[in-house]
Amino acid sequence: MPKSSPSRRAAAPAAPRDALPSREELIAFIAGAPAPNGEKPPARVTKRDIARAFGVKGEAKSELKLLIKDLQNEGAIGRGRKALQIQGRLPAIVVADVAERDRDGELVAKPVEWDEDGPPPRILIRRSRVRRDNAPAPGLGARVLMRVEFNPDATGTEPAYLGRVVKILEKLKARMFAVFRKAEDGSGRALPVEKRSAQREFFVPAAFAEKAEDGDLVAIEPLRASRLGVPSARVVESIGSVKSEKAVSLIALAQHHIPFVFSPAALKEAETARPVRLQSPREDWRSLPLVTIDPPDAKDHDDAVHAAPDPDPANPGGFVVTVAIADVAAYVRPGSALDRDALERGNSVYFPDRVVPMLPERISNDLCSLKPAEDRPALAVRMILGADGRKRSHRFHRVMMRSAARLSYEQAQAAIDGRPDDTTAPLLETVLKPLYAAHAAIKIERDRRDPLDLDLPERKLVLDTEGRLAGVRWPERLEAHRLIEEFMILANVAAAETLEAQHSPLLYRAHDSPSVEKLNDLIEFLGTIGVKLAKGDRVRPSHFNGVLSRVRGQGVEALVNEVVLRAQAQAEYSHENYGHFGLNLRRYAHFTSPIRRYADLVVHRALVRALGLGDGGLQDMRSGELAQVAEHISAAERRAMAAERETVDRLVAAHLADRVGAVFDARVAGVTRVGLFVKLAETGADGFVPAATLGDEYFRFEEGIRALVGTRSGVTYRLGDAVRARLVEAAPFAGALRFEIVAGETDEPPPRRGARRVRSDPREGRPGRKGARR
């Protein structure tokens, strides 16, 4: 566009110069500075906005348009379609792709459109303190609408802009993660890590390989597909080497966008934190012999227990049970950098080869870990139980405690079973036996309550020094496990009851009853193995327990336990109470693990504030804010569960990769039109058997009996059938295994059409990491 000539400007109606903004005022207003009258510019500045802000009216508007055109011709103002912007600067509102994480783990975006010379500017995505602005949380690969502002203080390689996400527009589904295999000419192959990826391999031209090295985990975007040959892709980000230690979990961290690098501010707060001192209103409980009982490899110890007979003559046979939990709220204050990082993570994530903690180790493994013979602040609940195990009363205290011993489950159980060691022998009569006596009373109340009683043995993966799977163990379920689980459930109920009585905000741990659809699916499945689910107008945990008891000791017991679990709703955090179906409780909250669950930290803060127990209490929250926190940490929990499960699949697949051709004992764990899912008895690994490989006939899917049936022979494969499966293919990075059925090599051949078999296996619901996800 040609510049305005003097003659053209002279032809325009004259306007008083004080009716127009100066060039400097105009540029400043477009850049975000307020007008002289104090009016602030909108996100997208138009000519109409300028006229209104500077009081330009009538014929003076023509002069304003000419001034703007002059600035555009000079390159001082960019040529937006409607809105105006400073040349070389991003507009206030942009569409951007979340492209990377910086060295502090913060998300960085790049604008989708950039017409200037040089690379597009980088935008550091700012996080809300506690999502007070209701900003959505994007992940890598998301396309977002952002409000951005230029950061004049940025130096060196720091992003030139700061931004807040207004809306997530779409997630770039084309982006995927792969392992890069580099060729000598700089090109390479990208092997997707997604188990369900339809494409096994992509070719990466050298020009699109960026700086990826052989063995790197990379994010790729497919290029335009060609009809012939392997499709091409470009590398958009290199994440790290899969050859390095802890590489398997690195894949899950990248895929699920789990933050694993703490911000410098959070690390500084953790390192500069000083031990809490004993002062009012904190009580001195250091003489009470509380003990921690955890897995032998636990690094953080956040709960301790104690029990003693109740001396009150009005409560014969009763107990005083104490549960003390690390006082994380004393160190992690609302709105701090530690708090922001903890909220973003939502919970700790436990992989076989690493733990991604919710809080830095200085807090989780040191200041808040209840180490023996060291003073530690705690939030404790003292509960009075009757001889029947029912809780008669309880009261919370903020205390200073000193653990008498750090015990493992096996160590505590061995002492009770007559094999005490040097640590447990002095504690046997005064500490351990009263704990088990109290647990015996609690079991009476538990049996009356009749919660869902699933038996789901927990796998323990044993790794070698290089992070490879060395073996799989199935640890025995001990009474010590149940003791700690039941003590924690009691404390969690007490927390929920106290906060309700105080009319305090709280996060419930809520678990809804099964949906009608899932219940009907379960009834159909049980019908295929000859088991009926007896239920009244309202389904209760006892109805499921009846089914589990009928298949106990039979071949399908393990399968029925898994299918009953799948029929349940998923537990979640909620600011509203609708009870806990699985535990058969009217109210329930998570209180016992604030080191690794943000929900528990919120409950601690609520108790501190509601009971006037000192500093670190819950702050005032706006309407809807607690619901946002609940939604966020529930999503973080689901993310962690998926990442943990996929990492186990990859480790097992890598372990079995050298055993292609081997034959394994297995059971049919799923039946679909396209094939069978089988579970190996040895490792618990899951794999797929394509229907096309079942034999030299067509197998049709009969949904009513959940089976694949051979049309000629009538050979039938049903849920729960014992089979022998030969490993055909293992894809370690995807965590996928493919098998084929080996006919005639099992003591229990597949039944013929019409045959019915009822099989299964026994025990009790495991607490995992002390009931981590109940």
Side-chain angles (χ1 to χ4, degrees):
M1 184 182 292
K3 290 186 178 182
S4 301
S5 63
S7 60
R8 180 177 174 184
R9 180 171 298 263
R17 290 305 300 169
D18 58 359
L20 291 174
S22 67
R23 292 164 53 91
E24 291 74 18
E25 288 174 334
L26 185 57
I27 292 172
F29 185 74
I30 295 172
N37 66 356
E39 181 172 341
K40 294 182 179 180
R44 298 173 64 84
V45 179
T46 64
K47 295 172 184 175
R48 182 177 297 176
D49 296 323
I50 295 171
R52 183 178 63 252
F54 289 91
V56 179
K57 301 177 181 178
E59 296 178 349
K61 289 184 178 180
S62 299
E63 190 73 11
L64 176 62
K65 291 180 181 178
L66 293 175
L67 176 58
I68 291 171
K69 284 185 178 180
D70 284 346
L71 291 173
Q72 287 176 329
N73 292 333
E74 294 169 10
I77 296 177
R79 300 176 183 273
R81 294 177 184 174
K82 293 183 179 180
L84 303 169
Q85 64 192 64
I86 302 301
Q87 188 69 22
R89 295 265 190 96
L90 290 174
I93 295 288
V94 298
V95 175
D97 289 338
V98 182
E100 59 182 292
R101 289 186 185 274
D102 65 13
R103 63 183 182 183
D104 296 326
E106 303 286 359
L107 291 172
V108 176
K110 295 180 180 180
V112 172
E113 296 183 3
W114 180 251
D115 299 328
E116 305 293 329
D117 293 333
R122 298 161 69 236
I123 309 164
L124 179 65
I125 298 178
R126 295 188 299 186
R127 294 177 297 172
S128 166
R129 289 180 62 209
V130 277
R131 305 190 178 274
R132 293 182 187 276
D133 56 358
N134 199 23
L140 281 171
R143 179 159 290 180
V144 297
L145 183 68
M146 299 186 68
R147 185 183 299 275
V148 302
E149 60 183 46
F150 182 69
N151 180 16
D153 299 325
T155 59
T157 59
E158 293 179 354
Y161 290 84
L162 301 174
R164 286 194 181 277
V165 174
V166 176
K167 183 180 181 182
I168 298 177
L169 302 177
E170 62 177 306
K171 294 185 177 178
L172 303 181
K173 296 179 181 178
R175 175 173 289 196
M176 64 183 70
F177 293 96
V179 176
F180 185 71
R181 295 303 186 194
K182 191 172 186 178
E184 292 183 359
D185 63 358
S187 65
R189 295 178 300 130
L191 311 177
V193 299
E194 286 281 358
K195 185 181 291 189
R196 296 177 179 84
S197 175
Q199 186 62 43
R200 299 278 187 90
E201 180 180 321
F202 289 86
F203 172 69
V204 180
F208 294 99
E210 295 293 332
K211 297 180 181 180
E213 297 294 335
D214 185 65
D216 277 1
L217 176 66
V218 297
I220 62 170
E221 287 181 356
L223 300 173
R224 184 171 297 176
S226 59
R227 294 185 179 181
L228 300 175
V230 178
S232 298
R234 69 184 183 97
V235 174
V236 295
E237 182 184 9
S238 290
I239 296 159
S241 174
V242 296
K243 299 176 182 177
S244 63
E245 185 183 2
K246 302 179 179 177
V248 177
S249 54
L250 178 68
I251 296 173
L253 291 172
Q255 272 190 302
H256 293 279
H257 314 303
I258 296 174
F260 60 97
V261 178
F262 287 104
S263 66
L267 290 174
K268 183 177 180 181
E269 286 182 2
E271 291 304 318
T272 56
R274 293 292 174 262
V276 170
R277 294 183 177 181
L278 178 61
Q279 58 185 23
S280 182
R282 194 176 297 278
E283 303 170 39
D284 188 351
W285 282 24
R286 289 175 293 182
S287 61
L288 185 68
L290 290 150
V291 294
T292 62
I293 305 177
D294 293 291
D297 56 353
K299 291 183 172 58
D300 53 72
H301 307 268
D302 56 1
D303 58 81
V305 293
H306 180 266
D310 188 0
D312 186 354
N315 187 25
F319 292 89
V320 179
V321 170
T322 302
V323 175
I325 307 298
D327 190 356
V328 178
Y331 293 101
V332 183
R333 298 303 175 91
S336 66
L338 279 170
D339 184 48
R340 291 194 297 271
D341 278 25
L343 175 59
E344 182 183 27
R345 294 173 182 227
N347 48 253
S348 297
V349 187
Y350 293 84
F351 297 109
D353 60 344
R354 77 164 91 189
V355 175
V356 178
M358 186 182 80
L359 295 166
E361 288 191 4
R362 165 70 171 155
I363 300 295
S364 60
N365 291 4
D366 185 6
L367 294 175
C368 288
S369 187
L370 306 181
K371 298 180 179 181
E374 294 191 20
D375 291 359
R376 287 292 183 268
L379 197 57
V381 57
R382 179 166 279 167
M383 298 170 284
I384 308 299
L385 308 183
D388 58 358
R390 293 196 181 194
K391 180 168 63 65
R392 296 190 168 192
S393 64
H394 67 268
R395 185 180 176 188
F396 283 88
H397 306 257
R398 211 172 192 185
V399 305
M400 184 69 74
M401 61 160 284
R402 185 179 293 166
S403 172
R406 175 193 297 167
L407 307 178
S408 69
Y409 292 116
E410 295 77 7
Q411 196 177 11
Q413 192 64 50
I416 289 295
D417 293 342
R419 303 187 308 277
D421 58 20
D422 292 343
T423 303
T424 55
L427 302 171
L428 184 57
E429 296 296 330
T430 57
V431 175
L432 291 177
K433 285 187 177 180
L435 283 171
Y436 277 74
H439 180 234
I442 293 170
K443 283 193 292 186
I444 299 172
E445 168 60 16
R446 184 187 189 278
D447 291 343
R448 185 202 63 79
R449 197 174 81 242
D450 202 10
L452 186 60
D453 196 12
L454 290 168
D455 172 24
L456 297 167
E458 184 178 349
R459 277 188 298 182
K460 173 73 174 178
L461 272 58
V462 181
L463 307 185
D464 61 21
T465 54
E466 296 183 5
R468 293 189 297 257
L469 182 62
V472 177
R473 294 194 300 107
W474 303 88
E476 182 184 358
R477 170 78 165 164
L478 303 172
E479 185 180 354
H481 292 101
R482 299 187 184 96
L483 182 154
I484 292 299
E485 181 176 359
E486 293 301 326
F487 276 43
M488 298 303 116
I489 290 172
L490 275 174
N492 288 336
V493 171
E497 290 176 347
T498 296
L499 291 174
E500 276 194 356
Q502 295 289 327
H503 305 290
S504 168
L506 78 145
L507 286 177
Y508 292 95
R509 180 61 169 179
H511 182 220
D512 209 350
S513 57
S515 67
V516 173
E517 294 78 12
K518 286 189 174 183
L519 205 54
N520 289 336
D521 287 345
L522 176 62
I523 291 171
E524 280 188 24
F525 160 70
L526 292 175
T528 68
I529 59 173
V531 177
K532 184 178 180 181
L533 176 63
K535 65 183 184 69
D537 296 334
R538 178 184 172 194
V539 67
R540 299 180 185 277
S542 58
H543 296 131
F544 296 108
N545 291 339
V547 168
L548 298 173
S549 66
R550 284 194 288 278
V551 299
R552 189 158 293 143
Q554 301 180 31
V556 290
E557 181 184 358
L559 176 63
V560 171
N561 272 269
E562 285 200 22
V563 175
V564 169
L565 175 64
R566 284 184 225 150
Q568 306 305 310
Q570 188 161 22
E572 64 179 359
Y573 295 105
S574 172
H575 68 296
E576 296 178 340
N577 182 30
Y578 53 87
H580 196 294
F581 176 82
L583 292 174
N584 201 12
L585 292 168
R586 293 183 178 179
R587 57 190 60 79
Y588 194 63
H590 271 169
F591 158 77
T592 54
S593 293
I595 284 178
R596 59 182 175 85
R597 293 187 305 222
Y598 193 82
D600 302 52
L601 179 54
V602 172
V603 169
H604 273 233
R605 289 170 174 167
L607 288 167
V608 168
R609 174 172 174 169
L611 302 177
L613 298 178
D615 298 333
L618 192 67
Q619 292 183 335
D620 291 334
M621 304 183 85
R622 295 187 308 182
S623 175
E625 189 174 333
L626 195 61
Q628 294 167 24
V629 172
E631 183 179 350
H632 170 70
I633 59 179
S634 294
E637 180 187 43
R638 292 190 293 271
R639 174 182 70 183
M641 292 170 66
E644 291 167 2
R645 182 176 60 248
E646 291 166 12
T647 299
V648 169
D649 288 346
R650 291 188 176 99
L651 280 167
V652 174
H655 177 65
L656 295 176
D658 295 334
R659 300 178 66 183
V660 170
V663 178
F664 301 88
D665 291 322
R667 286 198 178 273
V668 176
V671 182
T672 68
R673 284 182 170 80
V674 295
L676 308 173
F677 291 94
V678 295
K679 182 180 289 289
L680 304 190
E682 178 184 333
T683 59
D686 296 300
F688 183 65
V689 180
T693 68
L694 290 176
D696 57 357
E697 61 180 313
Y698 176 73
F699 279 78
R700 70 176 181 273
F701 176 63
E702 294 199 3
E703 190 169 4
I705 60 172
R706 304 290 178 87
L708 284 174
V709 181
T711 54
R712 187 176 68 252
S713 66
V715 169
T716 302
Y717 294 96
R718 303 186 188 196
L719 276 170
D721 281 349
V723 295
R724 297 276 283 168
R726 177 182 286 116
L727 181 59
V728 176
E729 181 183 7
F733 292 126
L737 300 169
R738 183 163 62 87
F739 293 90
E740 62 183 13
I741 299 299
V742 180
E745 294 191 27
T746 174
D747 296 332
E748 202 174 358
R752 298 283 174 167
R753 185 212 303 264
R756 248 188 200 173
R757 187 179 306 156
V758 180
R759 299 181 273 261
S760 246
D761 207 284
R763 267 180 324 187
E764 210 254 297
R766 303 188 66 85
R769 287 179 294 280
K770 295 181 186 167
R773 290 185 174 125
R774 279 194 160 184

